[in-house]
Amino acid sequence: MNKVLSTMMVLAAVAGFSGAAQAQDAKAGGSKAAMCIGCHSIPGYQSSFPEVHKVPMIAGQNAQYIVAALNAYKKGERKHPTMRGIADTLSEQDMADIAAYYEALPAAQPVPEQPAKQPSAEVAALLQKGACVSCHGANFSKPIDGSYPKIAGQHPDYLYVALKSYKTEGNPYIGRANAIMAGQVKQFSNAELKAIAQYIGSLPGEMKVVPQSRFR
């Protein structure tokens, strides 16, 4: 399993690197982000699909990951009707610009190399079993490649919904197609995934919800 995972991680990193050449214009991204603001820039805003949860924080997220996620929605690899509808309207340049804008938006301080809050023995065992730090970093905020997300401090309820989505198959509206994540999360019960999400979401993170007006 470890050998297969390592090979897949290398392939994913190569794929991510190939997409990094797209020129980015954060200033232009700010003028293109109006459709993002209505959900991602309202503190405490919640989605009701596929269940009630806070929408993810993306200000401070890796730009390369944001582009990868948008492309996955556009291709249908991530099944979310609203996000696919938005991604379908975006060109590669639009995605690159919006991603650069959100990556640079908050004035956040980098988090410590090691998490200040240690997990319980039970959660530590789950994290080790899932090899989570292998991709997302020891502090869950310094992934090994920009195409992987920062997850420290992300809303726990969103993390839980996202993790579960990798277990979903055959549903036209819900689910994510990612061989690495699917292979990892299918080892766990939903209760175990929730415990992982609660811990990672409780850590200091570099992402924020930055309130913005649609009228700028």
Side-chain angles (χ1 to χ4, degrees):
M1 168 62 96
N2 287 339
K3 183 176 181 181
V4 172
L5 178 61
S6 297
T7 301
M8 295 171 73
M9 286 165 56
V10 170
L11 291 174
V14 171
F17 179 79
S18 66
Q22 185 75 34
Q24 297 179 333
D25 186 336
K27 184 176 180 180
S31 67
K32 298 176 180 180
M35 67 185 71
C36 311
I37 290 170
C39 292
H40 294 285
S41 297
I42 300 177
Y45 188 79
Q46 296 189 125
S47 171
S48 59
F49 180 85
E51 59 191 77
V52 176
H53 64 86
K54 292 184 177 67
V55 298
M57 292 179 277
I58 57 174
Q61 182 60 272
N62 293 325
Q64 194 176 341
Y65 168 72
I66 294 175
V67 170
L70 287 170
N71 271 312
Y73 286 118
K74 191 169 189 174
K75 296 174 183 176
E77 295 169 355
R78 288 191 175 192
K79 299 173 183 178
H80 188 290
T82 301
M83 284 303 304
R84 183 165 191 181
I86 291 171
D88 277 343
T89 69
L90 302 175
S91 68
E92 285 293 327
Q93 188 64 58
D94 292 336
M95 293 181 188
D97 293 345
I98 290 170
Y101 171 70
Y102 273 104
E103 181 182 59
L105 190 58
Q109 295 296 319
V111 299
E113 291 291 324
Q114 295 293 327
K117 178 182 178 181
Q118 295 301 312
S120 66
E122 178 185 359
V123 172
L126 297 177
L127 295 170
Q128 184 175 12
K129 181 179 180 181
C132 304
V133 301
S134 297
C135 291
H136 298 286
N139 61 3
F140 301 97
S141 196
K142 192 175 181 181
I144 61 170
D145 184 82
S147 62
Y148 298 150
K150 300 175 183 179
I151 54 177
Q154 185 61 269
H155 300 306
D157 55 354
Y158 166 73
L159 289 175
Y160 176 53
V161 169
L163 287 169
K164 287 194 298 180
S165 71
Y166 291 108
K167 297 171 72 174
T168 303
E169 297 177 345
N171 188 310
Y173 305 110
I174 305 168
R176 296 185 180 186
N178 180 294
I180 297 174
M181 288 301 301
Q184 296 303 92
V185 301
K186 287 178 181 178
Q187 305 177 86
F188 303 109
S189 68
N190 286 349
E192 290 172 329
L193 292 178
K194 180 175 282 189
I196 291 171
Q198 289 288 343
Y199 170 68
I200 293 174
S202 73
L203 298 175
E206 298 176 4
M207 295 174 291
K208 294 182 179 180
V209 178
V210 179
Q212 300 167 80
S213 171
R214 289 177 180 270
F215 307 103
R216 294 175 294 158

